[in-house]
Amino acid sequence: MEVASEPTAQPERLPHRVRLRTSPAGLILMGGGARAAYQVGVLKGIASILRETRRGLDPSIAQGHNPFQIIAGTSAGAINAAALACRADNFQEAVAQLVHVWENFHAEQVYRSDLLGVVRAGARWATLLSIGWMVRKSMKLRPRSLLDNTPLNSLLERMIDAPRLAMALERGHLRALAISVSGYGTGRNVTFYQALNNYQIAAKLQRVYQHTAIAPEHLLASSAIPFVFPAVPLSFDGGTEFFGDGSMRQISPISPAISLGAERVLIIGVGQLGQPGALAETDASAYPSLAQIAGHAMNSIFLDALASDIERLGRINRIAEQLSPAQQRALGIRPIESLAIAPSERLDGIAALYTNALPRPVRALLEVLGAHRGNGAGLASYLLFESAYTRVLVDLGVRDTLAHKHEVLAFLTDRREPSTAYAPKVVVV
């Protein structure tokens, strides 16, 4: 598959000067390793739409005004969320920086992909899986992860500008940045959020919130895919706990943005909502390999909760619409307008075409786990931090967004189309 040329939104004459809507908008960026390149493509599409229609828009939009007051991210989406929040004073600049990173990605920027790095981490797993049970000394190996993501620290230092984030909050360009992680000790899903106000959000269903300054270690923890990347110690609740990928046990990924005051939410997924069956290249009757099982588990962690939460939001909205404002306040519910954008193509199917772009040691490790042809595409789709793959996902995100330009404009601006305002709309499935 070749990278298609970037589609452009055609300028159009608008009947009146359109302005960004003033009701607080939340942006939900889901996790998924290298799949997060897709959400950068969606953001690129949104930036393109706002630029191309700037003649009829309020001048603040053309100047890069941030249309999302609350930004919530999980896993790789947390890194994108933080980078976007750090440049909330200029949305166009923020998106351009993200696009530059993701269109020029190499695995070595995220994890050690050289032979020595892969052997040090991955070979320990292979050893324990094969003869570790025979060797008492194997207890001392205790590998922490399949891959060593130490290089990600350097990337985060370049992408994250903490002083600029604080300034964006102080000047009103942003209301809150929320990052979700999962605690291995307590089993709680924790949302760390940075905002001028401490919202004192009540804990619900193993989900708690902590007001703090977001730092690179929070992003490392949120993006620590289980088994693949090591857990990260964070200060929490007066002590220290090891945390991993925020998508684990996150039963309500939309909740952090709503809890922080969002009245409408734009949700960017990294997988088709309502996944079809197996890839054509796989033999459904054959016993699954470890790589196949791992890919299936990751799909469950990263994709299923979002689809369920969108359905749940739809039910709550339908109930809220039948109640009076007084009844809504008494029950503590309110209708939330939402727009969800998800890939129009299977990302694991795309990944199957680009597995050869992975560094040779990483490919060899995946083959040990049983990844061959389409069988390891699911797992590979999360680890393929290579520009050959990420550029295709960015381009897909742009195309999917521009294909629904009118819905995006209706969500972001006061240019409203007659529709059911509070019914969650999944514009790409």
Side-chain angles (χ1 to χ4, degrees):
M1 178 182 295
E2 296 182 355
V3 179
S5 58
E6 177 188 342
T8 57
Q10 295 299 316
E12 60 178 273
R13 293 183 179 180
L14 302 180
H16 66 283
R17 173 155 287 187
V18 179
R19 290 177 170 81
L20 288 175
R21 295 168 63 186
T22 57
S23 59
L27 177 64
I28 314 291
L29 300 178
M30 298 303 297
R35 287 172 172 243
Y38 174 82
Q39 60 194 209
V40 174
V42 173
L43 293 170
K44 183 178 179 180
I46 292 172
S48 174
I49 289 172
L50 295 179
R51 281 198 314 273
E52 294 295 336
T53 56
R54 64 183 178 273
R55 291 181 181 177
L57 294 174
D58 184 87
S60 65
I61 298 178
Q63 294 167 6
H65 187 80
N66 173 35
F68 304 105
Q69 292 77 32
I70 297 113
I71 302 177
T74 303
S75 192
I79 296 174
N80 287 338
L84 200 62
C86 286
R87 289 162 176 77
D89 58 323
N90 192 319
F91 179 73
Q92 297 286 341
E93 178 191 336
V95 172
Q97 187 223 32
L98 278 171
V99 171
H100 176 76
V101 170
W102 282 92
E103 287 189 340
N104 296 280
F105 238 135
H106 295 289
E108 62 190 21
Q109 296 173 271
V110 179
Y111 53 83
R112 288 197 60 179
S113 56
D114 58 290
L115 180 60
L116 179 59
V118 171
V119 168
R120 276 185 169 178
R124 290 187 178 184
W125 283 103
T127 300
L128 289 181
L129 287 172
S130 56
I131 62 172
W133 60 276
M134 297 175 57
V135 184
R136 187 177 181 83
K137 291 182 180 180
S138 66
M139 294 300 294
K140 296 180 181 180
L141 293 175
R142 292 189 179 181
R144 294 192 170 190
S145 60
L146 187 65
L147 296 170
D148 177 3
N149 65 342
T150 301
L152 185 55
N153 278 302
S154 299
L155 179 62
L156 292 178
E157 289 177 2
R158 296 194 300 271
M159 293 180 66
I160 307 305
D161 188 339
R164 190 167 175 178
L165 172 58
M167 187 178 298
L169 291 166
E170 292 171 1
R171 295 183 177 180
H173 299 295
L174 183 73
R175 177 181 293 190
L177 167 65
I179 304 299
S180 295
V181 299
S182 294
Y184 283 111
T186 61
R188 292 179 293 190
N189 189 273
V190 180
T191 296
F192 292 98
Y193 70 94
Q194 184 169 348
L196 295 182
N197 300 323
N198 186 344
Y199 288 90
Q200 299 293 328
I201 305 168
K204 298 178 181 178
L205 296 175
Q206 292 293 313
R207 189 173 68 250
V208 295
Y209 294 80
Q210 179 165 305
H211 184 225
T212 189
I214 300 299
E217 52 264 31
H218 295 103
L219 307 180
L220 284 171
S222 184
S223 58
I225 299 174
F227 298 109
V228 177
F229 298 136
V232 179
L234 297 175
S235 297
F236 174 70
D237 201 19
T240 300
E241 183 176 352
F242 278 90
F243 290 89
D245 200 294
S247 297
M248 295 186 293
R249 309 199 73 175
Q250 188 183 44
I251 60 175
S252 183
I254 304 174
S255 180
I258 296 175
S259 297
L260 290 167
E263 296 179 9
R264 50 197 170 95
V265 290
L266 176 64
I267 307 154
I268 307 178
V270 293
Q272 290 179 306
L273 300 176
Q275 284 273 23
L279 290 173
E281 295 82 359
T282 61
D283 182 1
S285 65
Y287 192 84
S289 66
L290 287 177
Q292 213 172 338
I293 293 172
H296 181 73
M298 287 188 184
N299 286 342
S300 298
I301 292 173
F302 291 113
L303 308 181
D304 292 352
L306 177 61
S308 298
D309 208 20
I310 290 175
E311 291 181 1
R312 187 182 305 113
L313 180 59
R315 290 194 297 270
I316 293 175
N317 281 339
R318 287 191 291 273
I319 294 172
E321 289 170 352
Q322 304 303 315
L323 303 175
S324 67
Q327 291 173 321
Q328 291 177 11
R329 288 193 296 271
L331 294 175
I333 62 174
R334 54 190 170 93
I336 301 294
E337 180 184 353
S338 69
L339 185 63
I341 301 179
S344 57
E345 300 178 25
R346 288 194 61 158
L347 301 193
D348 48 357
I350 297 175
L353 303 175
Y354 292 96
T355 52
N356 285 338
L358 281 166
R360 184 175 297 178
V362 180
R363 292 204 312 270
L365 178 61
L366 291 180
E367 288 174 3
V368 169
L369 297 177
H372 57 90
R373 296 183 182 177
N375 286 336
L379 177 58
S381 70
Y382 294 94
L383 303 179
L384 248 168
F385 291 95
E386 293 292 338
S387 60
Y389 172 66
T390 58
R391 288 191 177 203
V392 174
L393 299 198
V394 169
D395 184 70
L396 177 62
V398 173
R399 291 202 311 272
D400 287 347
T401 304
L402 297 186
H404 297 278
K405 173 181 176 179
H406 293 290
E407 290 93 333
V408 172
L409 274 174
F411 179 88
L412 295 176
T413 71
D414 60 4
R415 183 189 181 194
R416 308 296 292 152
E417 303 286 347
S419 62
T420 53
Y422 296 118
K425 278 185 288 186
V426 180
V427 300
V428 179
V429 294

